Amino acid sequence: MLNFRNNNSFLVLGRAGMDLYADPPGARTENATAFFAALGGSSANIAVAMARHGCAATLVTAVSDDAVGRFVRNQLKSYGVNSDRVRTVGGQSRTSLAVVETRREDCQSVIYRNGAADFEIGREDVDTVDYSQFGGLVATGTCFAAEPSRTATLSAFEAAGTAGVPVILDLDYRPYTWPSPADAGAICLKAAKLANVVVGNDEEFATLAGDIEAGRRLAQDLARDAGRLVIYKMGENGSLTFQGSQVIETGIYRVEALKPTGSGDAFLGNFIGALAQGHTLEESLERGSAAAAMVVSSVGCAPAMPDTAQLDDFIRNHPGPTRTTEADNAHPAL
């Protein structure tokens, strides 16, 4: 069982930005005259999800010295995420901006990450951390796509490991941030071998291994090594969780989705939050799946993250998670 050492304080590394959603829901970006602004970025969303469940989440990132960077800081504060380790950078670096739609079909997402500020996370941001004060370290694969963030995040993984702090990696493969799939596979595999928990979907593991079948074998192999927990997500077919020789199958909660975005961040943040609250591994996986369903059936990502009472209410009032091999209108919650 994953042990956070009875400490629900987590350090989260990686991307934070602004999301602009075409408004009202269903509108195409090119036709929109109004947009809804929200906190975005995988790491920021995960931190918000954990904070909603009473975890103390500290985000390590960098934002630009402009209005968008200040928006991110203000949003983090409003969600109760500690931003003491969010550094402001000048020059041509810019905080990520995503222009997205609230549409289940043909959902357009335009990401502006030229000179992304969060890639400026450096050794100075991670070497001063006392990792022993945290119950876990969480990072996404985007952190490894460019320097100096790559070296800094690898250094953080090693320091957390030395301190006996669990390291949780969400592969979060975004092709537009990497020179090539081969680079992403090699570097993320190196990071995965330093982690205690590795989370990714079938396509992400395939990127590490070469193809879907090899990706599943890789997930199983990683789980047999050093007691690592590996969560292998398969969209509407749910997930397989490997730990040693144990395999746990988890389904999805079926909802009418408004959009495809935010489910992975909701799953991981709520999975960690549930474990920190003392739920079993199986319960935590199901709570992560339920939160993913809630987020894709709501507007926004960070604003849609449920708190504990909202998640409990959803689970009470919805059929339990199911798995299927047939396409339907249900949301692929993972």
Side-chain angles (χ1 to χ4, degrees):
M1 181 66 178
L2 192 61
N3 180 15
F4 296 136
R5 305 183 307 166
N6 297 316
N7 184 344
N8 72 341
S9 179
F10 294 87
L11 192 71
V12 186
L13 273 66
R15 182 166 58 99
M18 175 189 277
D19 287 349
L20 293 179
Y21 287 88
D23 195 57
R28 301 305 301 261
T29 299
E30 56 264 40
N31 300 324
T33 58
F35 291 84
F36 167 70
L39 178 67
S42 294
S43 295
N45 290 337
I46 292 166
V48 169
M50 292 191 292
R52 293 278 204 185
H53 296 287
C55 295
T58 297
L59 184 65
V60 179
T61 193
V63 297
S64 48
D65 188 12
D66 56 24
V68 179
R70 291 189 289 275
F71 172 88
V72 168
R73 285 184 176 276
N74 290 340
Q75 287 287 296
L76 290 170
K77 181 178 180 181
S78 73
Y79 286 114
V81 176
N82 186 333
S83 61
D84 289 350
R85 290 189 173 274
V86 176
R87 182 163 55 88
T88 298
V89 295
Q92 296 301 308
S93 296
R94 292 291 181 267
T95 302
S96 290
L97 176 66
V99 183
V100 293
E101 298 170 345
T102 306
R103 296 169 57 89
R104 189 170 68 86
E105 301 293 340
D106 192 23
C107 179
Q108 299 182 107
S109 178
V110 182
I111 313 292
Y112 293 90
R113 283 186 59 75
N114 293 18
D118 53 274
F119 282 149
E120 296 303 314
I121 297 172
R123 291 289 297 268
E124 65 271 28
D125 299 303
V126 300
D127 286 353
T128 57
V129 174
D130 180 359
Y131 291 91
S132 67
Q133 298 302 306
F134 294 93
L137 168 66
V138 184
T140 68
T142 306
C143 296
F144 300 103
E147 295 287 7
S149 176
R150 177 185 302 165
T151 295
T153 308
L154 286 171
S155 176
F157 275 28
E158 291 169 351
T162 299
V165 174
V167 174
I168 301 138
L169 171 63
D170 186 339
L171 293 176
D172 191 38
Y173 174 53
R174 310 293 176 115
Y176 55 81
T177 64
W178 288 89
S180 71
D183 287 337
I187 294 165
C188 286
L189 180 56
K190 179 180 179 179
K193 291 180 178 179
L194 293 172
N196 303 97
V197 180
V198 182
V199 183
N201 62 36
D202 44 10
E203 293 181 356
E204 289 167 337
F205 278 102
T207 300
L208 270 62
D211 61 54
I212 290 290
E213 288 303 316
R216 180 163 172 169
R217 290 195 299 271
L218 173 63
Q220 293 173 296
D221 289 344
L222 285 169
R224 294 189 188 102
D225 181 21
R228 190 177 290 111
L229 182 73
V230 178
I231 302 175
Y232 182 87
K233 301 184 293 185
M234 303 175 294
E236 68 178 16
N237 292 318
S239 66
L240 298 174
T241 299
F242 303 110
Q243 188 172 38
S245 59
Q246 181 184 19
V247 181
I248 301 171
E249 297 185 11
T250 305
I252 67 169
Y253 283 80
R254 301 194 167 276
V255 295
E256 287 298 323
L258 291 179
K259 65 184 193 311
T261 54
S263 61
D265 302 336
F267 175 86
L268 182 56
N270 283 269
F271 168 72
I272 295 171
L275 285 176
Q277 288 178 327
H279 290 279
T280 66
L281 176 58
E282 291 83 355
E283 290 169 344
S284 299
L285 290 164
E286 291 189 0
R287 291 176 75 82
S289 180
M294 294 179 73
V295 168
V296 297
S297 57
S298 304
V299 177
C301 291
M305 296 296 173
D307 61 23
T308 301
Q310 291 167 333
L311 185 58
D312 287 342
D313 183 67
F314 176 89
I315 291 171
R316 277 195 302 268
N317 291 287
H318 284 76
T322 60
R323 300 177 71 239
T324 185
T325 57
E326 298 179 1
D328 56 24
N329 291 326
H331 135 65
L334 302 174

